[in-house]
Amino acid sequence: MNDTTIREKKSKLYELYDAFAESARPFTGMAVCKVGCADCCTSVGDVGATTLEGFLILEHIRTRFSAGQKELSKRLKQNRKDREVSKLARCAFLQKDNTCAVYQFRPFSCRRLYSLKQCGESGPMVHRQVWDLAREIEASIQAVDDTGYSGHLSHILQILSDAGFLKTYLEGGFSPDDISEYALKHNIIINRFVKH
Ligand code: SF4
Ligand code: SF4
């Protein structure tokens, strides 16, 4: 996958984000969500991402967070450890003021989330129509990223940190055997094999 292909895929991804936002607006307009409200980024959310979304975040953090990369790696490592024991934990990208450090590049799993009441421990309350639409959009995003994978953001970023994997991915290669052990251990989905 060369630069052009990545750009094309990014463009399709953002079209899907926009299509979701537009169709969901009559419902999400009723949400109680506001800046600094972040239960969905700490305890009730499960931050999933595709490799395409992970790659865009990676590019962003490499250019914007050169000074804070060590701290970020530490937090991502902690996220992975927490997942080993099925613990829901604070997202590595959630800043001290409860805002998202990668808001512009946040994955669809964050974009689809809203709630009609304060989440607290019980989780979000969403409309069934939006939930169903989100599942369709999620499948379309996986279809766009058809040489990629989906899983928890911290695991997807870990896979992308492997230079060999990244080279294959960016060249448009598809070699699931290379990550099969890690994928099995961490519930990584092969996008191409998702039934749409
Ligand atoms: S989804 Fe829930 S926790 Fe997240 S911003 Fe909305 S109300 Fe707050
Ligand atoms: S990526 Fe941003 S919006 Fe998504 S869970 Fe993390 S802090 Fe929240």
Side-chain angles (χ1 to χ4, degrees), residues 32-34 37-40 113-115 117-119 124:
V32 298
C33 304
K34 56 182 187 291
C37 178
D39 288 337
C40 51
L113 211 55
Y114 70 98
S115 183
K117 63 164 185 58
Q118 195 68 39
C119 283

Side-chain angles (χ1 to χ4, degrees), residues 2 12 26 43 46 50 97 119 171 196:
N2 53 35
K12 284 183 188 161
S43 51
D46 188 11
T50 55
D97 63 355
C119 283
E171 288 173 353
H196 301 295

Side-chain angles (χ1 to χ4, degrees), residues 25-159:
R25 189 159 296 129
F27 304 97
T28 54
M30 298 176 216
V32 298
C33 304
K34 56 182 187 291
V35 177
C37 178
D39 288 337
C40 51
C41 310
T42 54
S43 51
V44 298
D46 188 11
V47 195
T50 55
T51 27
L52 178 62
E53 294 173 304
F55 175 71
L56 297 176
I57 289 175
L58 206 60
E59 270 200 322
H60 178 64
I61 56 183
R62 276 182 184 156
T63 49
R64 290 286 307 277
F65 291 91
S66 45
Q69 294 226 7
K70 235 182 183 172
E71 177 57 30
L72 194 53
S73 300
K74 228 166 81 185
R75 294 208 299 258
L76 284 166
K77 192 173 175 189
Q78 186 59 47
N79 272 181
R80 292 193 295 274
K81 272 191 186 165
D82 290 337
R83 300 236 10 120
E84 302 280 338
V85 290
S86 306
K87 185 174 152 195
L88 288 172
R90 187 179 177 88
C91 175
F93 296 107
L94 190 62
Q95 306 180 106
K96 281 193 184 122
D97 63 355
N98 272 358
T99 59
C100 175
V102 292
Y103 191 76
Q104 201 189 333
F105 297 93
R106 70 201 188 287
F108 183 65
S109 68
C110 306
R111 292 169 192 264
R112 69 191 284 177
L113 211 55
Y114 70 98
S115 183
L116 299 173
K117 63 164 185 58
Q118 195 68 39
C119 283
E121 284 177 8
S122 56
M125 181 190 281
V126 301
H127 298 88
R128 156 92 33 211
Q129 297 96 313
V130 179
W131 192 253
D132 292 343
L133 173 65
R135 290 177 73 149
E136 280 173 33
I137 296 281
E138 182 182 51
S140 300
I141 290 172
Q142 287 167 329
V144 167
D145 192 19
D146 66 340
T147 57
Y149 306 85
S150 304
H152 190 267
L153 179 57
S154 63
H155 291 310
I156 292 295
L157 292 178
Q158 178 68 5
I159 291 175

